[in-house]
């Protein structure tokens, strides 16, 4: 599994008119946190955020997702201990591949499950699809019930004369 970001942060970069708003809302509701390395070349800043990762101020080079901020803090603390000797002026002087490996090792050391940005995208899309299916099923059931109710009301009860004619 790779955590290196190649390109845009997909749903975060979309406008509210082409589907990104719903995914961002689901993301916020579940409290997912991003563990990231940001910066250029080998001067990388380590951090975590529970918000839109585009707001970290620099281009994200690596993003790994975890369930909540407590898990993210544990991983970030472990990464900082692993790479402590590479810290220069608040940034880590490491290649992106080593930073990625440090996140994986740290998450394993502290027992936190992490996932890639692509896997998180798929997870959130699946949650959105499930919610849409549930809402669609509910709306279809309401429509069927309303139609059945209308049919029952429109059917007139048999008159007394009809009952005697069938006897």
């Amino acid at each position: 599994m790779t955590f290196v970001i190649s390109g845009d942060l997909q749903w975060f970069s979309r406008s509210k008119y082409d589907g990104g708003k719903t995914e961002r809302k689901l993301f916020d509701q579940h409290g997912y946190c991003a563990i990231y390395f940001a910066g250029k070349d080998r001067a990388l800043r380590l951090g975590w955020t529970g918000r839109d990762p585009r707001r970290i101020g620099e281009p994200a080079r690596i993003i790994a997702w975890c369930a909540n901020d407590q898990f993210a803090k544990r991983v970030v603390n472990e990464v900082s201990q692993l790479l402590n000797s590479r810290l220069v002026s608040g940034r880590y002087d490491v290649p992106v591949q080593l930073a990625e490996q440090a996140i994986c090792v740290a998450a394993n050391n502290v027992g936190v499950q992490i996932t890639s940005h692509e896997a998180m995208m798929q997870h959130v899309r699946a949650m959105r699809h499930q919610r849409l299916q549930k809402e669609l099923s509910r709306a279809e059931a309401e429509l069927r019930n309303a139609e059945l109710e209308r049919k029952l009301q429109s059917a007139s009860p048999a008159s007394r004369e009809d009952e005697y004619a069938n006897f």
Side-chain angles (χ1 to χ4, degrees), residues 55-66:
R55 297 183 183 172
I56 60 179
E58 297 177 84
R61 302 291 300 277
I62 299 171
I63 293 184
W65 293 98
C66 64

Side-chain angles (χ1 to χ4, degrees), residues 36-116:
Y36 64 85
F37 272 102
K40 295 183 179 177
D41 301 324
R42 290 174 57 117
L44 301 176
R45 182 171 52 94
L46 171 66
W48 65 273
T49 183
R51 300 183 334 189
D52 182 342
R54 289 179 302 151
R55 297 183 183 172
I56 60 179
E58 297 177 84
R61 302 291 300 277
I62 299 171
I63 293 184
W65 293 98
C66 64
N68 61 42
D69 61 340
Q70 295 300 318
F71 290 148
K73 287 177 190 178
R74 287 182 198 166
V75 174
V76 167
N77 288 337
E78 184 69 15
V79 170
S80 64
Q81 288 177 7
L82 291 172
L83 298 178
N84 190 29
S85 64
R86 303 275 191 127
L87 187 62
V88 177
S89 300
R91 295 192 175 258
Y92 293 92
D93 181 23
V94 294
V96 173
Q97 293 78 14
L98 181 61
E100 180 180 32
Q101 290 173 357
I103 288 176
C104 293
V105 169
N108 189 44
N109 287 351
V110 295
V112 172
Q113 183 177 357
I114 58 175
T115 188
S116 70

Side-chain angles (χ1 to χ4, degrees), residues 10-47:
Q10 295 182 14
W11 85 71
F12 291 107
S13 65
R14 293 186 193 160
S15 71
K16 64 181 180 180
Y17 301 108
D18 65 355
K21 185 176 180 181
T22 305
E23 282 87 352
R24 285 191 301 266
K25 190 173 184 179
L26 282 169
F27 166 81
D28 290 339
Q29 288 173 348
H30 288 281
Y32 298 124
C33 283
I35 302 161
Y36 64 85
F37 272 102
K40 295 183 179 177
D41 301 324
R42 290 174 57 117
L44 301 176
R45 182 171 52 94
L46 171 66

